[in-house]
Amino acid sequence: MAQRTTYLLIDGENIDATLGTSILGRRPHPDERPRWDRLLKFAQRQWHQDAKGLFFLAANGPELPMAFIQALTALGYQPIPLSGAEGEKVVDMAIQKTLDALVTLQADVMLVSHDGDFLPQLEPLLGGSRKVGLIGFKEFRNAGFSPLEAQGLEFFDLEYDVKAFNATLPRLRVIPIDEFDPLAFL
């Protein structure tokens, strides 16, 4: 029997925009961005199987961000640079197509995004033996993901579960009493 794989689909633009606009209130500095290698390791550890990271990039200009692409490749990701007509959400379109294609494979999937545009493609992946996860900041995910948890969608927080950041982010969130540390506020 072949080893099962987890496909880790990264919507980097969505994560970067949420981090910058909603959490930091400015463009994130390089040291404030997620440590992408930690996501791949998390996916492998969480479901005890190989993970293949697909990092989707909008590359609408003539030049590719080669330093970033080389870094992703060195971390074990498959960078997927995409282009399209002006106004086309090429990253979303490619992730939607990939989620549709995964329906035919015996594989698990973790989507790193908050974007509700993926709800129609995620729902058919749920309800069977496949594991399906969503990684992001819980307070910023599209509300449409909440009902899918009853169908088996697992949610993982990018900061608290994955531990993808080197520093604590300035997030306001509801704290479960078992996790409350008064010293963090004193």
Side-chain angles (χ1 to χ4, degrees):
M1 186 166 107
Q3 171 73 23
R4 203 168 166 106
T5 299
T6 297
Y7 286 92
L8 180 66
L9 311 181
I10 309 281
D11 182 357
E13 291 178 337
N14 179 270
I15 297 301
D16 205 52
T18 302
L19 182 59
T21 304
S22 302
I23 296 175
L24 298 172
R26 59 176 166 71
R27 185 178 171 92
H29 300 299
D31 61 330
E32 294 172 318
R33 288 195 163 93
R35 306 294 89 184
W36 298 113
D37 58 319
R38 294 182 193 170
L39 271 96
L40 201 50
K41 290 174 186 167
F42 175 82
Q44 292 166 343
R45 278 192 322 269
Q46 187 63 35
W47 292 337
H48 311 287
Q49 60 195 26
D50 290 338
K52 181 171 181 163
L54 304 178
F55 201 110
F56 298 85
L57 300 156
N60 290 321
E63 300 201 13
L64 291 172
M66 286 312 294
F68 186 57
I69 286 176
Q70 289 169 343
L72 288 172
T73 302
L75 294 173
Y77 282 93
Q78 171 67 58
I80 303 175
L82 303 154
S83 68
E86 187 175 327
E88 279 187 312
K89 296 169 72 174
V90 294
V91 168
D92 288 7
M93 293 165 65
I95 292 174
Q96 289 167 331
K97 287 181 177 188
T98 304
L99 290 168
D100 285 341
L102 282 167
V103 170
T104 65
L105 300 178
Q106 291 297 314
D108 301 316
V109 63
M110 287 185 178
L111 172 64
V112 184
S113 183
H114 304 95
D115 197 335
D117 289 347
F118 305 120
L119 288 164
Q121 290 77 28
L122 262 176
E123 194 161 12
L125 295 169
L126 295 164
S129 63
R130 180 189 325 270
K131 294 177 187 162
V132 181
L134 180 71
I135 299 175
F137 302 110
K138 189 170 188 166
E139 65 272 27
F140 297 112
R141 71 179 177 175
N142 183 286
F145 288 114
S146 294
L148 298 183
E149 287 182 283
Q151 297 177 48
L153 179 66
E154 296 181 51
F155 181 79
F156 305 102
D157 190 276
L158 190 57
E159 181 179 13
Y160 302 119
D161 297 321
V162 179
K163 302 189 183 332
F165 296 90
N166 287 335
T168 303
L169 297 175
R171 292 168 65 191
L172 183 60
R173 69 175 182 114
V174 175
I175 304 167
I177 192 64
D178 294 342
E179 296 176 21
F180 176 69
D181 176 9
L183 294 177
F185 297 92
L186 300 177

